[in-house]
Amino acid sequence: MKLKRLIQEKSVDALLITNLLNIRYFTGFTGTTGIALVIGENKFFITDFRYVSQAMEEVEKKGFQLICENISPLKKVAELLKQFNVKKLGIENQMVTLEQFKSFENNFSKIEYINLNDIFTKEREVKSEEEISIIKKSIKIAEEALEKTIYRIKIGIKEREVAAELEYQMRKLGASKASFDIIVASNERSALPHGVASEKVIEEGFLTIDFGCFYNGYASDITRTFYVGDNPTKKHLEIYEVVKEANERAIKKVRAGITVHELDSISRDFIKEKGYGDYFGHGLGHGIGLQIHEYPGVSFKAENKVLKEGMVITIEPGIYIPGFGGVRIEDDILVKEDSCEVLTSLKKEFKTLKL
């Protein structure tokens, strides 16, 4: 039904889907080689012999007719377009390389191309009950893995060792892989918003861990900041509490109908009021799903974007002070009609790792 509606909305005869994430979303195919073509009521999935058995199990229950083509999938697409007299073809222009476009021109010379832009990725913004259930499991795996990892952290261990242990635990619990390069940033490196784990040895100070995993194709994304050692200063405590309050204030306002700009401002204005506005430079959050960063972006950059029921977003304010350290606290949130559901369950109170 979604694809039929999109054909009507874009006033095209057919849709060509080449991005593997969008292919997974609409067809259920989890392999790495395939093309989906939708012409009116007809839905075709083209792959080679390596994936025939897998595709039969995955795409046919979604109503796609499986076609095996080992030599030139685009020529098979061209044959189908000619067979159904397609004049206007919607393509994912943002995902097409120059080489692919030249191949399109060679194979579909009489076709008018209609740019779909990000129509498919926007279609993925609102999650189904099944998707939400999978994301919850992904979050649960990530959280349990951190609980198993945190007690192994000690002064003198390297950041990369922590990241490796955390990914190992996530995989052991059922994740396919980490959803991004795990961030383990200690002491002054915690002031780096994307301080991917390094060879640095952990020492006394803030320790930010930003992590998540893919489970059944869907991502989780969580951040917690700890203090390693026995002597946090007043400034450490103050910065942490400001970020925690900014996180909680925004979460309380999440609901369908609020703009992402307004939601971002709730955290940003509070941090600015406390004197740290210059140290919070990124957006408040983003959508998660088949990608770790997907629509909607929750940011001051988007004026009119409105949250919808069923979206899953992150809320992740932070303060980053060069030479001192930084704090980020990130939760995964399900948007509901009049409120939200906090999907993450890890505690957010200031925690010292006295090691």
Side-chain angles (χ1 to χ4, degrees):
M1 292 298 292
K2 286 184 178 180
L3 291 169
K4 183 177 179 180
R5 171 174 53 78
L6 294 175
I7 285 176
Q8 294 171 344
E9 287 180 4
K10 300 302 289 187
S11 299
V12 295
D13 301 316
L15 299 172
L16 184 66
I17 309 174
T18 52
N19 175 271
L20 285 173
L21 290 177
N22 292 330
I23 285 172
R24 178 169 185 155
Y25 181 78
F26 288 107
T27 75
F29 180 67
T30 60
T32 59
T33 301
I35 296 174
L37 177 66
V38 182
I39 308 173
E41 300 284 348
N42 302 283
K43 298 193 292 185
F44 303 98
F45 183 76
I46 305 165
T47 190
D48 63 42
F49 77 99
R50 296 172 299 168
Y51 292 104
V52 168
S53 296
Q54 177 181 341
M56 284 179 66
E57 293 182 7
E58 294 176 334
V59 309
E60 289 188 348
K61 58 188 174 185
K62 293 266 192 175
F64 281 81
Q65 178 183 332
L66 177 61
I67 298 173
C68 179
E69 174 54 56
N70 295 320
I71 299 174
S72 179
L74 287 181
K75 284 186 178 180
K76 177 58 68 174
V77 171
E79 290 174 13
L80 290 167
L81 295 177
K82 184 177 181 180
Q83 177 184 337
F84 287 90
N85 195 31
V86 171
K87 303 296 184 185
K88 291 184 178 181
L89 176 65
I91 64 169
E92 298 173 278
N93 55 298
Q94 293 183 330
M95 305 305 302
V96 175
T97 65
L98 179 59
E99 181 179 358
Q100 287 173 324
F101 185 71
K102 287 181 178 179
S103 182
F104 286 179
E105 286 187 314
N106 291 334
N107 285 285
F108 319 138
S109 57
K110 297 181 181 180
I111 297 289
E112 179 184 353
Y113 302 112
I114 305 299
N115 293 338
L116 298 178
N117 297 316
D118 48 9
I119 188 173
F120 293 138
T121 48
K122 285 187 175 179
E123 195 69 24
R124 289 166 24 204
E125 284 183 324
V126 175
K127 271 59 181 180
S128 67
E129 288 298 322
E130 180 182 6
E131 289 178 291
I132 291 167
S133 177
I134 296 171
I135 291 171
K136 285 180 177 180
K137 177 65 174 178
S138 180
I139 292 167
K140 183 177 180 181
I141 288 172
E143 291 190 322
E144 188 175 340
L146 181 67
E147 295 283 11
K148 290 177 178 293
T149 301
I150 201 72
Y151 298 104
R152 298 173 182 266
I153 298 173
K154 58 185 178 182
I155 291 175
I157 193 173
K158 293 179 180 179
E159 293 172 348
R160 281 185 180 157
E161 292 179 75
V162 176
E165 178 66 24
L166 183 50
E167 180 161 3
Y168 166 73
Q169 292 295 341
M170 289 192 292
R171 286 176 178 264
K172 190 176 179 182
L173 290 165
S176 59
K177 61 180 179 179
S179 46
F180 53 92
D181 287 340
I182 295 171
I183 292 170
V184 180
S186 63
N187 200 12
E188 73 277 358
R189 286 193 77 252
S190 61
L192 301 175
H194 279 184
V196 173
S198 72
E199 287 295 305
K200 183 184 181 301
V201 169
I202 291 173
E203 53 191 335
E204 181 151 357
F206 279 136
L207 174 65
T208 295
I209 304 178
D210 187 344
F211 64 106
C213 66
F214 278 113
Y215 172 75
N216 199 12
Y218 284 81
S220 51
D221 187 5
I222 307 165
T223 307
R224 288 296 183 266
T225 300
F226 307 96
Y227 185 87
V228 178
D230 297 312
N231 301 298
T233 66
K234 182 179 179 180
K235 189 172 184 179
H236 284 102
L237 294 168
E238 177 183 299
I239 290 170
Y240 189 92
E241 290 304 317
V242 170
V243 174
K244 178 172 173 287
E245 180 70 16
N247 167 277
E248 292 174 345
R249 286 189 176 210
I251 289 173
K252 287 178 182 178
K253 295 296 183 180
V254 174
R255 57 174 173 77
I258 191 171
T259 68
V260 296
H261 185 273
E262 180 182 354
L263 191 60
D264 181 279
S265 295
I266 291 167
S267 281
R268 194 168 306 281
D269 290 350
F270 177 74
I271 290 174
K272 185 176 180 180
E273 174 189 321
K274 293 298 181 179
Y276 295 102
D278 291 340
Y279 302 105
F280 177 30
H282 59 71
L284 181 63
H286 53 85
I288 58 172
L290 288 171
Q291 289 176 286
I292 188 61
H293 290 121
E294 63 179 41
Y295 288 117
V298 184
S299 170
F300 55 90
K301 299 176 183 178
E303 288 284 341
N304 301 316
K305 181 65 180 179
V306 174
L307 293 184
K308 299 177 184 177
E309 185 176 10
M311 289 179 170
V312 180
I313 63 171
T314 67
I315 298 293
E316 49 180 301
I319 293 174
Y320 313 93
I321 302 176
F324 178 80
V327 175
R328 180 166 64 257
I329 301 173
E330 177 182 19
D331 291 301
D332 299 338
I333 311 294
L334 171 62
V335 180
K336 295 193 169 185
E337 183 178 358
D338 297 312
S339 60
C340 70
E341 179 183 348
V342 182
L343 304 181
T344 37
S345 62
L346 293 171
K347 293 181 179 180
K348 291 184 277 192
E349 289 73 21
F350 186 89
K351 181 179 177 65
T352 57
L353 305 179
K354 299 179 180 181
L355 307 167

